[in-house]
Amino acid sequence: MEQYIMPGSAYRKLRAAKSLVQTLYIYGATGFGKTAFVQKTLEKRSHVYLSCGNWRWDERDVPERGTVVLDDLHLLDEPRRELVKRLAADPEIWLILINRSPVPSWLMPEYVNIGFIVISEKDMCLGKKEIQGYLDSLGLSYTKEGLQYLADTAEGNGYIVRHAALRMAEGLSPGPKMYQEIHDAFARYLEEYIMVQWDSELLEFLMEVSVVEEFTLPLAELITANRLVSVMVQKAMETGNFLFENDGMYRLRPVLLHALRKKAQQSLGEEQIKNCRKSAGVWYEMDGQISQALEMYEQSGSQGQIRELLIRNARVNPGAGHYYELRRYYLGMDEEEAAKSPVLMAGLSMLHSMLMDPKKSEYWYEKLSEFAKTAQGGAKREAKSRLCYLDIGLPHRGSRDVLKIMLRAPAMLLDQGISLPEFSVTSNIPSTMNGGKDFCKWSRSDRALARTVGPLVERVLGSYGKGLTKIALGESLYEKGADAFEVLTLLSRGQVETECGGRLEIAFSAVGQRVRMMILQRDIANAGAILDSFQSAAKAQRVMQMLPNIQAMRCRIALYAGDMDAVREWMKAAPDEDKEFITMERYRYFTKARCYLTLGENLKALALLEKLSEYAKLVHRTYVGIEAGLLVAIVRRRLGTEWEPQLKVALDEAESYQFVRVISELGPAILPLLKAHGRDSPWFRQVLEEIQQMSRRYPGYLSPRNAVRENFSSTALEILRLQSEGLSATQIAERLGMKSDNVRYHIKENYRKLGASGKAEAIAAARGLGLL
């Protein structure tokens, strides 16, 4: 027999079952070596081997005592199930059952009452060490990277490892080329030897649902027009360990999915596959999964459905719609076709503005304007409504004339019977001042505007205006460091108003400011609790587009708490600014920049912040410009380059609005810069006082976490410890028997690594990092 590597976990379980004479149940998908494993372990032991695929054996073939192996249990016909149950209960028989799926329902009573020892697919998986041993036993050479690639892609499947070994013996190295070849060969094997064992109804069901990557029972029912979907799924799960369920979502193994799709092309035909895809698209659209719906419509050639879906999406504001995700479809539309629909023209104008292409945005705005001049009836009203919407909402136009437009809007709405499309104030960012538009300018006259035009704005915005005035005023006052009780009262009352026919995205702004208040008071626990409750509400109301920014806010809480595991976990799902810069992701980008600072990845932080700074200039985003300027100054100082000009511009702008919190929330990261900068005004003194409080509460905030213990020598750490005890450089030199110059060098390096400007900051940062 050829070289064989025993899966250790499976072998230990088999020995336990043998010593106890307890029924052994082995399962796993094709290729995991179940039969070979049993044959190897029993090769020197007398036993009877029977395959359930052989219809000729019966009770007379089973001995009265000894070891009995029943393979291919998924092929067992129903009349012989009772025999298997009797064998499992017979104390004179050591029964070994081999199947492709977990214990089937018909055998569950014996599994529960008698007790089986189960060897699962996981036990049969070949680990990296076992694969290495197998390759070594065959005398094959490999690199460390090649072995790791094989271990990662084989997923423990013995068939794949054996096939890979054969190809390596022919000179091919593990890599994408080999993986694709083996993947295709395995798919052919499944198609030619495994699928032929399934009944035709099950095979057709699986071929039809293979048009999607994963499915729920309702989706499968719509695709297949089969009302017995749950029965088919149960049959599939008992036929083989290739269909997995997680929270109501079913997914096929990738290699089987590939084989099924290939088989479907041959058996079902293109027209039936297109119908399945179109049905899937309908379900995705009804479920709000617009990107997936369009993909299915495109694959089925349903151009009419694509156009209608794009129009429906364009009726929704950017905060609730899917403009970025669908931009390929919008930008790929025939221009003449798009020009027939005022909704599509408005959507294209908005999309190009979001893509920071004001010229193209204004082009479509003019197209829509010309359309409005000649259109009649409902089309004319629709066009005028969209023009008003664009006048208010186009990002690149800023907020300079928004108030004038809103003051004119009621006359248009009442006199001409035109309704304004829904308008996103926040774009799902926890802010009204820095949300869909930048309203910093309004903050200078916040109380007067809230009193005079607040009711009018709420009226124009409809449901998006409920609670807006109070929440916006509360946020403006919070930014300026006003009385906490007044701010909290405004935010709470505004949030209550949103619950009476308003929108959750406006409430998110109130929640965002409340979370910031809790952090300011060093109440991390309550900040997290507030966010947890709001996230539950967002999920309950299916406002799923808000969840990414909720998670970003959760990451910001983790940064203050020093929870680096949570920070690194969030970074895995953070948007990739190098792949594409999406302006709607600005809140998450600023969160990511803070993570970069904390992880010591200063160049990445600077590159991202420069993009945000450029975006702020192009679309007149005052708040974004201030925030980016402050963070750029911090990064540049850490990199040892000029930082004062960026800080001065940001501070000048912030002071002109009397904004405090955008600066003070940066705490110890900004404190040394402000001390070095120097400025004397009541506003600056307030900022400095708050920053010092934040530095005491969160001494490690945004401190580079690459300054871990490994980056400090034992001498450097000892000098830090002695400094924390109050010793001077001279005293430390005497204590450690070092030259004073050497001690001062270590102190300087410690400060640099900790991002500190002096002893107090260094000690605080070191304690925040757990170095002291």
Side-chain angles (χ1 to χ4, degrees), residues 117 211 224 413 440 449 505 679 690:
I117 288 181
V211 299
T224 64
L413 298 175
C440 286
L449 287 172
E505 72 166 65
R679 185 180 292 217
E690 276 203 12

Side-chain angles (χ1 to χ4, degrees), residues 587-757:
Y587 184 77
R588 293 210 289 167
Y589 285 148
F590 273 117
T591 305
K592 193 174 185 183
R594 286 166 166 81
C595 293
Y596 280 148
L597 283 170
T598 307
L599 295 169
E601 299 182 33
N602 294 320
L603 290 175
K604 288 184 178 180
L606 185 60
L608 175 54
L609 290 166
E610 291 294 354
K611 291 180 180 180
L612 287 163
S613 297
E614 185 63 20
Y615 160 70
K617 293 175 187 175
L618 286 173
V619 296
H620 316 291
R621 303 286 306 209
T622 302
Y623 195 95
V624 170
I626 294 171
E627 188 174 5
L630 294 168
L631 291 169
V632 164
I634 293 171
V635 179
R636 291 178 70 87
R637 181 178 180 273
R638 291 184 181 181
L639 290 171
T641 59
E642 189 178 42
W643 54 269
E644 292 91 342
Q646 288 81 8
L647 181 68
K648 183 179 184 305
V649 170
L651 290 178
D652 288 346
E653 191 82 334
E655 186 169 15
S656 72
Y657 293 97
Q658 294 294 292
F659 290 164
V660 173
R661 299 289 159 66
V662 67
I663 308 169
S664 66
E665 288 175 354
L666 294 173
I670 197 79
L671 181 59
L673 283 72
L674 295 190
K675 285 182 175 179
H677 171 74
R679 185 180 292 217
D680 189 27
S681 68
W683 168 82
F684 188 75
R685 288 194 290 274
Q686 181 184 359
V687 170
L688 199 58
E689 183 181 348
E690 276 203 12
I691 288 175
Q692 289 169 336
Q693 289 177 356
M694 289 292 284
S695 299
R696 288 191 291 272
R697 290 167 181 166
Y698 305 103
Y701 181 62
L702 299 190
S703 295
R705 275 348 190 239
N706 65 341
V708 292
R709 189 172 297 273
E710 289 75 10
N711 289 347
F712 292 82
S713 65
S714 58
T715 301
L717 288 173
E718 181 64 13
I719 289 171
L720 258 178
R721 186 185 67 78
L722 293 173
Q723 275 190 293
S724 70
E725 293 177 1
L727 273 67
S728 67
T730 303
Q731 291 170 322
I732 294 172
E734 291 175 359
R735 175 79 63 90
L736 299 179
M738 297 173 62
K739 292 182 180 180
S740 295
D741 286 346
N742 287 343
V743 171
R744 291 189 181 92
Y745 170 78
H746 279 294
I747 289 173
K748 184 179 178 181
E749 281 298 291
N750 285 344
Y751 290 178
R752 181 185 64 80
K753 291 177 182 179
L754 292 165
S757 62

Side-chain angles (χ1 to χ4, degrees), residues 379-400:
K380 189 179 189 72
R381 287 192 295 273
E382 178 81 78
K384 284 192 171 184
S385 170
R386 294 285 153 184
L387 286 169
C388 182
Y389 162 74
L390 293 174
D391 286 337
I392 297 172
L394 282 177
H396 72 271
R397 291 188 181 179
S399 58
R400 184 182 57 191

Side-chain angles (χ1 to χ4, degrees), residues 259-321:
L260 285 166
R261 286 173 174 173
K262 185 179 176 183
K263 181 74 172 176
Q265 292 289 338
Q266 302 166 357
S267 304
L268 300 183
E270 191 61 34
E271 196 60 35
Q272 187 174 346
I273 293 173
K274 283 185 176 181
N275 288 335
C276 290
R277 288 171 174 162
K278 184 176 179 180
S279 296
V282 170
W283 189 88
Y284 282 133
E285 186 177 357
M286 291 189 300
D287 196 51
Q289 300 183 56
I290 305 302
S291 297
Q292 293 92 325
L294 277 172
E295 185 179 345
M296 287 291 108
Y297 287 150
E298 185 177 39
Q299 290 179 14
S300 65
S302 305
Q303 295 302 316
Q305 277 80 2
I306 290 176
R307 184 178 185 277
E308 290 304 312
L309 192 153
L310 291 176
I311 290 175
R312 283 193 289 275
N313 182 72
R315 291 187 182 279
V316 182
N317 71 73

Side-chain angles (χ1 to χ4, degrees), residues 119-297:
I119 295 177
S120 68
E121 182 179 297
K122 185 177 180 181
D123 296 312
M124 295 298 301
C125 282
L126 298 178
K128 182 179 176 180
K129 288 184 178 179
E130 291 160 330
I131 294 173
Q132 183 177 8
Y134 179 63
L135 297 179
D136 289 342
S137 70
L138 296 173
L140 296 172
S141 61
Y142 52 85
T143 64
K144 181 180 178 182
E145 293 75 21
L147 175 63
Q148 187 62 53
Y149 185 88
L150 181 56
D152 291 340
T153 54
E155 297 180 340
N157 189 292
Y159 173 92
I160 295 175
V161 173
R162 184 173 180 275
H163 195 147
L166 292 172
R167 298 298 285 121
M168 289 170 69
E170 296 171 7
L172 190 64
S173 299
K177 182 179 178 182
M178 177 192 283
Y179 171 77
Q180 191 59 50
E181 179 185 304
I182 295 174
H183 184 274
D184 292 342
F186 197 10
R188 287 195 300 273
Y189 171 77
L190 292 174
E191 184 182 346
E192 294 170 8
Y193 296 100
I194 303 302
M195 291 184 196
V196 293
Q197 299 174 2
W198 301 344
D199 65 61
S200 57
E201 187 181 15
L202 175 61
L203 179 58
E204 182 172 357
F205 169 79
L206 291 173
M207 285 191 295
E208 289 178 334
V209 296
S210 73
V211 299
V212 295
E213 297 293 324
E214 57 186 13
F215 62 89
T216 60
L217 295 181
L219 171 56
E221 185 173 339
L222 192 60
I223 291 173
T224 64
N226 188 332
R227 295 187 176 182
L228 300 177
V229 162
S230 59
V231 175
M232 301 306 299
V233 166
Q234 183 63 31
K235 184 184 291 188
M237 296 190 84
E238 292 189 357
T239 299
N241 196 40
F242 55 76
L243 183 64
F244 304 103
E245 186 267 341
N246 181 25
D247 198 22
M249 187 68 72
Y250 296 86
R251 177 178 282 271
L252 290 157
R253 285 182 187 270
V255 66
L256 180 63
L257 190 65
H258 175 71
L260 285 166
R261 286 173 174 173
K262 185 179 176 183
K263 181 74 172 176
Q265 292 289 338
Q266 302 166 357
S267 304
L268 300 183
E270 191 61 34
E271 196 60 35
Q272 187 174 346
I273 293 173
K274 283 185 176 181
N275 288 335
C276 290
R277 288 171 174 162
K278 184 176 179 180
S279 296
V282 170
W283 189 88
Y284 282 133
E285 186 177 357
M286 291 189 300
D287 196 51
Q289 300 183 56
I290 305 302
S291 297
Q292 293 92 325
L294 277 172
E295 185 179 345
M296 287 291 108
Y297 287 150

Side-chain angles (χ1 to χ4, degrees), residues 417-641:
I418 296 173
S419 59
L420 186 69
E422 63 177 39
F423 178 83
S424 175
V425 178
T426 71
S427 293
N428 297 315
I429 288 172
S431 173
T432 53
M433 183 183 300
N434 183 34
K437 304 277 276 189
D438 183 282
F439 292 110
C440 286
K441 184 179 178 181
W442 294 19
S443 180
R444 287 178 170 143
S445 308
D446 47 19
R447 293 185 190 275
L449 287 172
R451 186 175 60 255
T452 55
V453 301
L456 173 65
V457 172
E458 290 187 347
R459 180 183 174 193
V460 170
L461 296 179
S463 61
Y464 281 85
K466 287 192 177 286
L468 174 61
T469 301
K470 291 183 177 65
I471 293 172
L473 179 58
E475 180 180 350
S476 179
L477 296 178
Y478 171 80
E479 287 290 355
K480 291 187 279 193
D483 179 70
F485 291 104
E486 181 183 9
V487 171
L488 186 58
T489 299
L490 286 165
L491 295 175
S492 299
R493 289 179 177 176
Q495 191 172 351
V496 169
E497 287 184 18
T498 65
E499 295 169 2
C500 302
R503 296 285 182 152
L504 204 61
E505 72 166 65
I506 304 298
F508 188 24
S509 177
V511 169
Q513 312 324 310
R514 289 176 60 200
V515 167
R516 292 170 73 188
M517 290 178 72
M518 294 296 103
I519 292 172
L520 202 66
Q521 298 300 320
R522 204 180 181 183
D523 193 353
I524 294 287
N526 272 326
I530 291 170
L531 201 55
D532 288 343
S533 297
F534 184 76
Q535 180 173 305
S536 298
K539 287 182 176 179
Q541 296 183 36
R542 294 188 61 79
V543 190
M544 310 308 284
Q545 62 271 19
M546 208 173 288
L547 296 182
N549 283 332
I550 292 175
Q551 294 305 325
M553 179 167 277
R554 198 178 298 285
C555 178
R556 293 192 182 203
I557 294 173
L559 285 168
Y560 281 104
D563 185 353
M564 294 309 298
D565 289 338
V567 169
R568 292 189 180 92
E569 187 63 29
W570 180 84
M571 284 288 280
K572 294 176 184 178
D576 185 354
E577 69 278 8
D578 293 323
K579 182 180 179 182
E580 55 183 345
F581 185 80
I582 301 174
T583 59
M584 292 283 282
E585 295 283 18
R586 55 193 176 275
Y587 184 77
R588 293 210 289 167
Y589 285 148
F590 273 117
T591 305
K592 193 174 185 183
R594 286 166 166 81
C595 293
Y596 280 148
L597 283 170
T598 307
L599 295 169
E601 299 182 33
N602 294 320
L603 290 175
K604 288 184 178 180
L606 185 60
L608 175 54
L609 290 166
E610 291 294 354
K611 291 180 180 180
L612 287 163
S613 297
E614 185 63 20
Y615 160 70
K617 293 175 187 175
L618 286 173
V619 296
H620 316 291
R621 303 286 306 209
T622 302
Y623 195 95
V624 170
I626 294 171
E627 188 174 5
L630 294 168
L631 291 169
V632 164
I634 293 171
V635 179
R636 291 178 70 87
R637 181 178 180 273
R638 291 184 181 181
L639 290 171
T641 59

